Amino acid sequence: MIKACIFDLDGVLVDTAHYHFLAWKRLAKEFDYELTEEINEELKGVSRMKSLEIVLQHANVSLENQKKELLADRKNGWFTEYVHNMNPDELFPGVRELFSRLRKDNIKIGLASSSKNAKTIIEILGIQHEFETVVDGTMIVHSKPDPEIFLLAAKRLGIDPADCLVFEDAEAGVEAALAAGMKCVGVGNFTKLKRANRVVDSIQNFNYHDLQKL
Ligand code: BG6
Ligand code: MG
């Protein structure tokens, strides 16, 4: 029985995945590499440094660590600029309604985001009080597809992983949820997320009656 729902943030609750894409694209341009939406899928769910490494690999660029740190910082500067211009209306449709139904049914709500900016983002959106636990990129060693982040969230919620349902927009995130022994709803592209127990194009289109039937 599902006793907790654990949400990814970027691309699931809000379109910050697009801001990550814009910032990486801008950085990639600096070394004449055109980052496409297709390649961007590989960056979703993984840590900032891992994302940078993927971009550099595709661009055929090799750099020393110090330079990589500088580039990752620059990308993060642009990303946080976009984020600070965001307003609470940018929360995806259906999110508040889903949270209130879960609360009504006594199902716990957690956040598990690889982003080190997760706490700032949920504060800007004004949804920080919705979560019984928040696990972010500052609290884990291995980023998705490793199950660490979801296992930590379940532990902090006091719920068995088998009784947790994850909402994810990243292929790496779906793999992490399944590796944690959890059920998973993919939010986004069916082909990319087909390993999930169910795929919806947005949270708004998740059929709440399916929650205990996955
Ligand atoms: C994830 C995003 O949520 O956070 C990734 O899907 C991003 O694209 C990662 O790289 C790390 O984010 P941040 O904010 O710590 O750079
Ligand atoms: Mg995401």
Side-chain angles (χ1 to χ4, degrees):
M1 188 175 168
I2 300 301
K3 297 179 184 157
C5 285
I6 303 173
F7 293 86
D8 172 51
L9 173 66
D10 297 320
V12 169
L13 302 180
V14 63
D15 205 6
T16 36
H18 184 64
Y19 297 145
H20 278 296
F21 174 56
L22 292 181
W24 284 126
K25 203 175 165 63
R26 187 163 162 188
L27 190 78
K29 271 227 168 77
E30 294 196 357
F31 25 85
D32 283 330
Y33 175 68
E34 192 62 42
L35 180 69
T36 63
E37 301 239 16
E38 179 67 25
I39 299 295
N40 183 58
E41 288 298 320
E42 295 175 32
L43 312 182
K44 290 186 179 173
V46 304
S47 69
R48 190 180 309 162
M49 203 34 95
K50 178 78 191 157
S51 298
L52 175 64
E53 275 158 11
I54 296 171
V55 173
L56 292 177
Q57 203 181 348
H58 282 290
N60 244 321
V61 174
S62 111
L63 297 170
E64 56 189 33
N65 284 343
Q66 213 184 348
K67 180 77 179 146
K68 284 195 214 164
E69 295 286 350
L70 284 174
L71 291 181
D73 282 353
R74 189 176 321 153
K75 179 268 172 181
N76 192 52
W78 294 326
F79 176 72
T80 48
E81 224 174 273
Y82 296 135
V83 158
H84 280 103
N85 284 319
M86 211 167 61
N87 67 68
D89 297 348
E90 290 184 48
L91 192 70
F92 279 144
V95 171
R96 280 186 212 283
E97 292 77 1
L98 178 56
F99 285 162
S100 66
R101 292 189 84 165
L102 292 171
R103 202 165 308 106
K104 204 166 132 252
D105 289 346
N106 272 321
I107 295 172
K108 293 189 173 183
I109 303 173
L111 187 85
S113 165
S114 308
S115 173
K116 294 183 174 162
N117 294 297
K119 287 190 176 131
T120 309
I121 296 172
I122 59 175
E123 273 164 29
I124 291 174
L125 294 169
I127 53 168
Q128 67 276 35
H129 58 277
E130 303 273 8
F131 305 102
E132 268 157 271
T133 191
V134 171
V135 182
D136 68 17
T138 66
M139 298 158 75
I140 49 162
V141 180
H142 308 288
S143 83
K144 302 165 187 175
D146 190 283
E148 180 183 356
I149 196 163
F150 291 126
L151 292 174
L152 180 58
K155 188 169 168 205
R156 289 166 61 109
L157 290 169
I159 303 290
D160 197 310
D163 297 330
C164 293
L165 172 63
V166 169
F167 288 80
E168 255 298 344
D169 72 316
E171 226 176 318
V174 171
E175 293 307 324
L178 298 178
M182 300 178 179
K183 295 276 187 330
C184 185
V185 172
V187 182
N189 182 296
F190 178 80
T191 321
K192 291 264 177 275
L193 307 173
K194 59 179 180 299
R195 295 240 312 131
N197 302 85
R198 185 71 39 100
V199 181
V200 291
D201 56 1
S202 90
I203 287 267
Q204 193 177 25
N205 292 329
F206 174 66
N207 185 348
Y208 192 78
H209 300 290
D210 287 349
L211 192 92
Q212 299 298 354
K213 297 185 201 151
L214 299 165

